Amino acid sequence: MELHAAIEQLHDRCAIYTSAPTAARLLDLIGWTSNADLSQATLLEPCAGEGSILMEGVRRLLHSFRSNGRTPSLGDLEPRIRSFELHPGAAAIVRKLLRNLLIEEGIPPEHADQLVLKWVGERDFLLEKPERATHVAANPPYVRWKNLPAVLASLYRETLPAVGTRGDLSVAFLNKMLEWISDGGSIAALTSDRWMFAQYGDGFLQDTKSRGWTITVADERPSDPFMKTVGAYSAIVLLTPAGKPIHHLSSNRRQEAQAMLRELLARHGSLHEAGCIVRVGPALGAGRTFILDPDEIAEVEDELVRPFLDRKDLIGSAVDTARLRVVVPYDRRGVLIDPSDWPGFKTWVSKRREALSRRSQFRDKDQYWRTIDAVPALWSTGPKLLMPELSNKPFVTIDRTQAIPAHSLYAIWSGEWPTDVLQRVLNGGLLEVTAKAEAPALKHGWMRFYKRFLLRTPLPQWSQLSHDVREGLSSDDFQEFEETFKGLFGFAPGATSLA
Ligand SMILES: C[S@@+](CC[C@H](N)C(=O)[O-])C[C@H]1O[C@@H](n2cnc3c(N)ncnc32)[C@H](O)[C@@H]1O
C-alpha cells in the first residue's frame, strides 16, 4: 500500500475528535489558560485533527496577551504554537478554521496566513525532530499496532525507540511528546488508559517514571469526551515532572482503594504468592465454529469434545453441567493431535475448512484445523473458579465440569485453598478491592479485569492461617464466617466501604 493510502486508512481509523468541554479541560490541566502569562510559552498539539484543542489553545493565547495588556506582534505569536496533522484533508480544514479565528480576533489576514502555515505542519509528528514545548495537550490516535497500515508500522518501528512501539499508537505519541517537553512542562492527553494496565505499557511506564515523570489519571472516565458518541472509552492522563503540584488528582475513591489494596497486600501477600494459578480461556478463532450446540451430534472422538462455558453460564455460585461443548485438536495430555489419527475429527473439521482457513493466522497453512491457543492438560483438571473479564461487580463461579472457558473468562485454580472457601473470600470483597484499585473503569460502571490484577488480589497462604481461622472461613454458620473474614481483612464481607 502506498503511503498516502495508508495515511487515509489511519485517519479513517483514528479521527475521533475531542469535544469542546474536554479540550478546555486538557488545557486547564496543563495551565494553558487566558489568565496565565503565555508570552514565552509554547503549546504543542501533535495531531490537530480539525482543531478542537488547537483552536481553544489559540483563543486562550490571544486572550492571555490581551489580559496582560499587550497586542502581540507576529514575532510574539509565531513561536507560541506548534502542531501537526498528517492527513492533508484535515490539515487543510484546520488551517482554514484557524485563519478565520485569527482574523475574527483582529489579526491582519497576511499575518494570519503566515501563522497558520507556521503553526500547522502537514507532517508526521512521530517522524519530526523534537523541538521545545512548555505545554502539550493531545488526543493521540488510539490504533493497535496490529491494525496500523503496514507501511507506517514498519516506518515507525525503524525510527522510534522500541518502548513506544508496542500495543497501540498512543504510546508512541506520548513517548514523542516527552521528547518535546521542556523542564517543568506538563502533558495532558485524552487517551485510552489501556496501556497503563496492559503488559505492553509496562516498558513505557517504567521508562517514563525512571526519567522523573509522574503519571496521573486526572479523570478515569470523562463524560462525553468526543464530538460524536463512540463505543471507545478513554481517560485524561497527565504527565508532570515528579514533585510538581497537580491541579486535579484522580478520584478519592480510586486512591482509597489503592491504599487499601497496598495495606492488604503488605499484610497477606497476593493470590499469586498463595499458589493460585490464573489463565484466560483459550482463543479458538473462527467465531463459534469449534463450539457445538447442545443437540448437535458430533462425529468427533469423545476425547476431543470437552465441556465449554461462556459468560452466560456464570449465573449461580457453581456450574455442575456445561450447556455447550467444544471440539479441540488436543488430546487429554494437551498434545496437538494429527488429524489422520482421528478420523472423526478429520471428517468434522474438513466440513468447516472454509471458515477455519479464513483466519489470518492460518491462511495458506496446512494446519488450518488448529485453535489459535493450545489447550494444555491443565484445562482438564478441576474444580476451578471462573470469572468474566468484564463485569460491573467482580465475582467468581465454581466450575465442577472441567470445562474449557470462553476467551472472555479467566480461570483460577485454587492451589492449597479449598475451592469453595477461596470463592467465598474472593466474592466477599477481595476481588472488589483489586477491581476498584486497579481495573480500568468502562462506561456504566463496568470494569475490565486483566490477569495481572487477579494475580495481585490480596490473599493469605492457606497453610499460614491458624486452625481457627480456617474453620471460621469454611464455616456453614454465616456469622462465624463474617467475623473471621472481618478479623482477617478489616471489613465485613460484601462491604468493602468503597462502593
Ligand atoms: C484522535 S484524532 C484527534 C484530533 C484532534 N487532536 C482532536 O482532539 O480533535 C487524531 C488525529 O491524528 C492524526 N494523526 C495520526 N497520526 C499522525 C501522525 N503521525 N502525525 C500527525 N498527525 C497524525 C489523524 O489524522 C487524526 O486527525
Side-chain angles (χ1 to χ4, degrees), residues 7-8 10-19 23 26 45-54 83-88 90-91 121-128 137-143 148 152 156 169 173 190 225-227:
I7 291 172
E8 247 351 285
L10 170 63
H11 182 75
D12 269 0
R13 286 185 186 162
C14 76
I16 301 170
Y17 297 141
T18 311
S19 66
L26 293 171
E45 209 302 16
C47 46
E50 294 182 10
S52 304
I53 303 170
L54 185 61
S83 81
F84 298 90
E85 173 51 58
L86 182 58
H87 184 260
E122 190 195 310
R123 292 198 296 277
D124 190 321
F125 170 68
L126 293 176
L127 305 177
E128 276 298 296
N139 162 7
Y142 176 73
V143 179
L148 203 61
L152 285 171
Y156 296 152
L169 199 56
F173 266 77
L190 176 67
F226 303 113
M227 278 190 187

Side-chain angles (χ1 to χ4, degrees), residues 276 385 412 414 417-427 459:
C276 302
L385 299 172
I412 306 173
S414 63
W417 275 77
T419 311
D420 54 339
V421 184
L422 179 61
Q423 177 187 38
R424 246 181 158 184
V425 296
L426 291 180
N427 288 353
L459 188 73

Side-chain angles (χ1 to χ4, degrees), residues 268-278 378 412-417 422 455 457 459-463:
H268 298 293
S270 67
L271 184 136
H272 172 62
E273 288 154 354
C276 302
I277 295 174
V278 177
L378 181 67
I412 306 173
W413 284 267
S414 63
E416 52 178 23
W417 275 77
L422 179 61
L455 291 170
T457 300
L459 188 73
Q461 291 179 28
W462 180 251
S463 54

Side-chain angles (χ1 to χ4, degrees), residues 171-203:
V171 178
F173 266 77
L174 288 166
N175 206 40
K176 193 76 174 179
M177 293 181 222
L178 281 167
E179 292 178 16
W180 275 68
I181 196 83
S182 5
D183 288 349
S186 337
I187 301 172
L190 176 67
T191 160
S192 157
D193 54 358
R194 229 182 228 205
W195 56 269
M196 296 182 72
F197 301 101
Q199 206 98 31
Y200 69 78
D202 261 359

